[in-house]
Amino acid sequence: MTATSAAPPTWVFLQPGDTIDVIAPSSPPPDPEATIAAIRAYFAGTDLKVRIPDGLIDPTEPLLAANTAERRVAFIEQALHASDSQAVWAIMGGGWASELMPLLQAMRKPARPKPVLGYSDVTALHVFFNHSWGWPTLHGIELGANGDIGPGWNRDPIVEMLAVLRGQCPVPTYPLAALNAAASRPEVREGLRVIGGNSLLLSALKGSIDFTADTRGAVVFIESVANGPGELSRLLDGFLYSPLIIEASAVMFGDWVQTGGKPNPPLVQTQFDYLQRRFADALDPRSIPVLRADKLFGHGPVNRPLPLNTPATLTLGASPALAVQSGGCGA
């Protein structure tokens, strides 16, 4: 058994009539007006409200971020402090969220946590809220890149994320595949938590003084997109030398997708599989289990809800599995 310190604070489960604030921390959607209209139309058919503030999307040049860094953080802070909303959901990932880190540090911390939702480049927000504020967050689909609303790689229905937010799925459990001997030995590790996200963001921040997460007692989750085998080989080598991995209780790979939403070419997939097992073998002498969540999390068609920085239980052995508490409470 492995135990950690006290559980992080919880958010309140969503109820009918509650409001979700939309933020744009990274890139803009390809057609902002159509995307915003589609999001509003989707939630008009639910028992929840969605709020998308005027001016949220005002793309910059030449980098084409969703807005200036200052405006993106101002909208995030506004959403976090809004007394009449219960969740904060990113419209897109893409790029540029890592430049927000010092501005996020200057934000006022609200008295109560709200779940922040997104993936890919939104990993920068997960790292900040999980590590700097100790909040739980929710890795998963984004409103502007989901098949329920418009074109998007992820085809998971939005109701899956809403079920976690509502408390209807309080402990999502996912099957895993063992990649090294440490993961194959029967054991149940309780009192863990899951942290992580996109490989490029984790690699970029792993040596920082303020934004390298304490991974003791953590399952480090890593998914990847738009990187070939050579690039991922270098990223993994860097992880092997970093406390981010060396001090972790376990590592869990999500999908590695060379081109978002498309299957990897056979040779690329073979190389990805080899790199993952080479990485797993390197961690075996440290007794760090390395596992893979096949077609569950990332930039493929499937991207299930994954609560971060919440109590988790990892079952190792013949049928590995990860059970993660949602981060919500019934109060």
Side-chain angles (χ1 to χ4, degrees):
M1 301 285 186
T2 301
T4 62
S5 58
T10 56
W11 64 67
V12 176
F13 287 139
L14 265 64
Q15 304 294 327
D18 280 349
T19 296
I20 296 169
D21 274 314
V22 178
I23 59 171
S26 303
S27 298
D31 187 338
E33 290 187 8
T35 300
I36 288 171
I39 294 170
R40 287 176 171 152
Y42 175 86
F43 279 94
T46 73
D47 60 0
L48 297 170
K49 303 172 185 176
V50 66
R51 180 163 54 206
I52 306 174
D54 293 339
L56 179 69
I57 307 295
D58 187 9
T60 63
E61 294 182 357
L63 297 181
L64 292 180
N67 215 316
T68 66
E70 291 76 14
R71 291 282 286 162
R72 281 178 281 153
V73 170
F75 281 119
I76 293 170
E77 185 170 19
Q78 175 181 305
L80 293 174
H81 283 273
S83 61
D84 61 341
S85 72
Q86 290 72 34
V88 180
W89 206 327
I91 195 168
M92 287 286 291
W96 326 120
S98 58
E99 70 177 347
L100 304 183
M101 305 303 268
L103 298 175
L104 294 172
Q105 280 186 305
M107 288 194 309
R108 297 172 296 126
K109 184 178 180 179
R112 66 180 179 92
K114 292 183 184 180
V116 176
L117 286 67
Y119 82 114
S120 193
D121 195 57
V122 181
T123 294
L125 299 192
H126 291 308
V127 168
F128 175 79
F129 290 115
N130 295 166
H131 175 60
S132 296
W133 283 9
W135 278 15
T137 59
L138 188 54
H139 181 280
I141 59 175
E142 289 150 356
L143 292 176
N146 174 260
D148 276 354
I149 286 177
W153 294 329
N154 297 150
R155 313 308 293 185
D156 281 72
I158 291 174
V159 291
E160 287 193 356
M161 291 285 273
L162 294 179
V164 174
L165 290 174
R166 293 177 190 270
Q168 297 167 348
C169 184
V171 188
T173 301
Y174 299 106
L176 306 176
L179 296 183
N180 62 2
S184 300
R185 288 191 288 269
E187 183 183 356
V188 177
R189 299 190 178 189
E190 298 178 316
L192 302 177
R193 68 192 190 284
V194 181
I195 63 100
N198 182 261
S199 61
L200 193 59
L201 269 293
L202 294 177
S203 179
L205 297 170
K206 72 177 187 297
S208 65
I209 294 173
D210 294 330
F211 306 117
T212 296
D214 178 1
T215 59
R216 290 172 294 183
V219 178
V220 178
F221 160 60
I222 305 172
E223 63 88 22
S224 186
V225 68
N227 287 313
E231 295 163 308
L232 278 170
S233 177
R234 292 192 287 274
L235 290 181
L236 288 182
D237 287 342
F239 284 141
L240 281 175
Y241 314 140
S242 168
L244 184 79
I245 296 299
I246 293 172
E247 296 180 353
S249 291
V251 176
M252 179 181 72
F253 290 124
D255 288 342
W256 288 12
V257 181
Q258 184 167 261
T259 303
K262 295 183 179 180
N264 294 319
L267 176 58
V268 169
Q269 186 61 54
T270 297
Q271 292 172 317
F272 282 168
D273 292 342
Y274 174 82
L275 289 172
Q276 289 182 353
R277 291 196 174 274
R278 186 178 73 179
F279 180 86
D281 289 343
L283 290 179
D284 210 43
R286 295 179 177 270
S287 297
I288 298 176
V290 180
L291 307 104
R292 182 168 59 213
D294 285 316
K295 297 178 176 62
L296 289 176
F297 312 116
H299 286 75
V302 178
N303 191 14
R304 305 289 302 281
L306 180 62
L308 301 178
N309 203 37
T310 68
T313 298
L314 180 63
T315 300
L316 304 173
S319 300
L322 177 71
V324 197
Q325 291 187 25
S326 71
C329 63

